[in-house]
Amino acid sequence: MTTRPAHLLCLALLAAPLLTACATGRDGSFDAQPGTPSPSCLQHQSTLPGTRYTGGDKSDPAAVLQMMHFYTANGTKAFCDGKPPTDADRRWTELYTQLGGDAQHVATAK
């Protein structure tokens, strides 16, 4: 027989990853189009870069590397809707170059 505190602990442990995922989503996560490993065009980014990418020593290295890899491989492709980059798109590509990415790997349209 389990006690109420044990139930609460189990519930908290099960909910923690979900809550972390939700918090990360509000903090400007990069959309690397995971459903399309080699996209023929780009989707616009819907959020500005969050602390996972801009937090210096507190950044998430895996998230930063995923963003860097995505732009290195796909950054010069046109947007699927044919429109120019949004402010969010420009902020992500600026971050890419600030972190050492080659500016030739991202679109220059303003």
Side-chain angles (χ1 to χ4, degrees):
M1 185 163 118
T2 57
T3 63
R4 183 168 174 85
H7 280 105
L8 292 175
L9 177 61
C10 288
L11 181 60
L13 291 174
L14 291 172
L18 297 174
L19 295 174
T20 300
C22 291
T24 300
R26 287 189 299 265
D27 190 31
S29 290
F30 183 75
D31 179 5
Q33 299 176 233
T36 311
S38 296
S40 58
C41 57
L42 303 179
Q43 298 295 325
H44 293 283
Q45 294 298 315
S46 60
T47 62
L48 298 176
T51 56
R52 290 178 66 200
Y53 306 87
T54 62
D57 291 343
K58 296 181 182 180
S59 295
D60 177 353
V64 172
L65 287 173
Q66 179 186 39
M67 180 268 297
M68 298 293 287
H69 176 266
F70 182 85
Y71 277 127
T72 299
N74 303 297
T76 58
K77 295 177 181 176
F79 288 98
C80 299
D81 64 3
K83 294 182 180 178
T86 63
D87 182 53
D89 297 321
R90 284 189 292 278
R91 296 279 297 275
W92 282 104
T93 57
E94 287 169 5
L95 178 61
Y96 170 81
T97 57
Q98 288 170 358
L99 294 174
D102 187 337
Q104 293 181 356
H105 290 287
V106 291
T108 57
K110 301 278 179 185

